[in-house]
Structures are given as structure tokens and as C-alpha cells.
Amino acid sequence: MLRAAATDVGRLYKRQLVDLLDVREGHTVLDAGCGPGTDLPTLAERVGATGTVVGVDRDPAMLAQARERTRELPRVEIREGDVLDLPVDRGTVDRAKIDRVLMHVDDPAAALAQLHRVTRPGARVGLAEPDWDTLVVDAEDLETSRAFTRYTTAHVVRHATVGRSLARLAERAGFGVEAVLAHTPVFRDVEEADHTLGLGRNMEAAIAAGHVGPERGRRWFASLSQGAFFASFTLVTVVCSR
């Protein structure tokens, strides 16, 4: 997560998301599924000395990193909890964001309902999710690249296409959609792509599950290190109002 956030595209969409949220001094801001707290210092800077930033995550390891990252920021609160049952009082949040979390949860619509519950009238909410159907990996064996994307979408990520559905889901949760943006992270380094996209481990999983033949799959993966490399996918950002 930290490496993805540190890429040029990662910094761009995160900065754009925070700018569109229009976080101001004195606001109460929620980062639902805050992970290791990557965005909490930026949000704390925006709310100033009179605002509050609340980071919520259910993973103890992520919470420990978030607490360490924000230990000198008194206006940041780290709370253990699930985005499907946020430990936040009704109608107390001015701004909220959820970033690359909905693709993993049991029920994305229920998570958005929770965001609607905790935000005040007039609040803004930012959502950011990939659409893994748009994952492309360049290789001479195009059919295996397509098989890899199909396996990723169908078996690796729980809600692999939630990115394209964000605006619709936000409207159903009672929000008004203000902006829909798309970014395309591009990977030119095969090792970075393997780390972020799980090229090797997911191909091995596809082979083990019988979706790709062993020789064909391993030959495809080995070919990615031969010559110029390219991979990309689409990341969708939606900003909406309460």
C-alpha cells in the first residue's frame, strides 16, 4: 500500500481526492479503512489546530503503523473498527474518504450506507477504487495475458469491478455525485508491477486452480522480464455530497 501510494499516479490521485474533498480548518474528517495511515498527516494538516481526523481500520498491524505515523499529531484519533460498522457517531463527520477498500469488503453498499450515517448534511465523501477488468499486461502471448486478467477479476479480488460502479452505488446510498475521475497507473518496471499487481503469485494460483496450463503460464511470466515491459489498469475516483 505504501509503495503504491508513493508512485507518481498514487500521489496524483490522492492529492486530487483531498483537494476535491475541500478539507478545511475545523473539520472532522474520517479515513475509513485508513490502513497504515498514509493519508492521515495530510488530512491533519488541512484540518488545522481546531479540526479532528479519525482513522478507522480493523487490522491490528495497520493500526499500529497508523498510530506510529501520527503519534505527534494530537488531532488524529486512531480507532479499531470495521467499515461495515464504523465506530463513529451519527452525523458527526464533515468529510470522509475510503480508498481501495470497497473492493475487499463483504458488502460495498453497506459500507457506503455507513458513510451516509456518520456524515452531516452538506458533507463531502471521496471514494477511490480500481477496476481490475481494465488490467492489461503486455506480452506476445495475448491470450494468456487476457486469461490472467480474467482470473484476477473472477477469483483474486472480491469486488474487482467496483470502481466502475462507484457513482451508481453512491447515488443509491443517498449521496449526490459531484465528480467522477479516472487515472491510469502505468508500470514500466516488471519487479514493481509484480510486487503491486501480484503477477507471479496470481499466475501460480491460476495454474494451481486449473485456469492456465503450467507450461503456458510460467512461460508467460518469464517472458515479462524479456525486453520492455508495460502494464496498466484504471483507478476511478468519485466525489459526492451528503
Side-chain angles (χ1 to χ4, degrees), residues 94-131:
D94 299 293
R95 301 289 188 264
K97 62 177 281 292
I98 187 164
D99 181 356
R100 294 170 296 151
V101 174
L102 295 177
M103 62 179 171
H104 300 302
V105 304
D106 290 335
D107 188 346
L112 291 178
Q114 282 288 301
L115 291 178
H116 193 272
R117 176 184 67 82
V118 303
T119 48
R120 296 186 174 102
R124 284 188 179 181
V125 175
L127 318 170
E129 298 290 334
D131 188 317

Side-chain angles (χ1 to χ4, degrees), residues 125-137:
V125 175
L127 318 170
E129 298 290 334
D131 188 317
W132 290 112
D133 253 0
T134 64
L135 173 63
V136 296
V137 182

Side-chain angles (χ1 to χ4, degrees), residues 100-216:
R100 294 170 296 151
V101 174
L102 295 177
M103 62 179 171
H104 300 302
V105 304
D106 290 335
D107 188 346
L112 291 178
Q114 282 288 301
L115 291 178
H116 193 272
R117 176 184 67 82
V118 303
T119 48
R120 296 186 174 102
R124 284 188 179 181
V125 175
L127 318 170
E129 298 290 334
D131 188 317
W132 290 112
D133 253 0
T134 64
L135 173 63
V136 296
V137 182
D138 179 51
E140 290 188 10
D141 184 354
L142 179 58
E143 288 307 309
T144 300
S145 288
R146 287 171 170 166
F148 177 81
T149 295
R150 288 194 299 270
Y151 179 78
T152 300
T153 301
H155 301 284
V156 176
V157 184
R158 181 173 293 177
H159 303 289
T161 60
V162 70
R164 73 183 67 175
S165 305
L166 286 177
R168 172 168 51 83
L169 291 172
E171 284 189 343
R172 288 183 178 178
F175 295 108
V177 175
E178 295 187 354
V180 180
L181 307 168
H183 297 90
T184 307
V186 172
F187 299 85
R188 299 296 309 279
D189 182 273
V190 65
E191 291 185 2
E192 185 73 17
D194 186 30
H195 178 85
T196 304
L197 305 176
L199 301 177
R201 68 176 181 272
N202 290 335
M203 177 53 78
E204 286 299 324
I207 290 169
H211 292 271
V212 179
E215 182 179 352
R216 173 187 171 197

Side-chain angles (χ1 to χ4, degrees), residues 26-45:
H27 276 163
T28 295
V29 181
L30 169 66
D31 190 349
C34 67
T38 309
D39 300 333
L40 298 179
T42 298
L43 296 173
E45 182 179 359

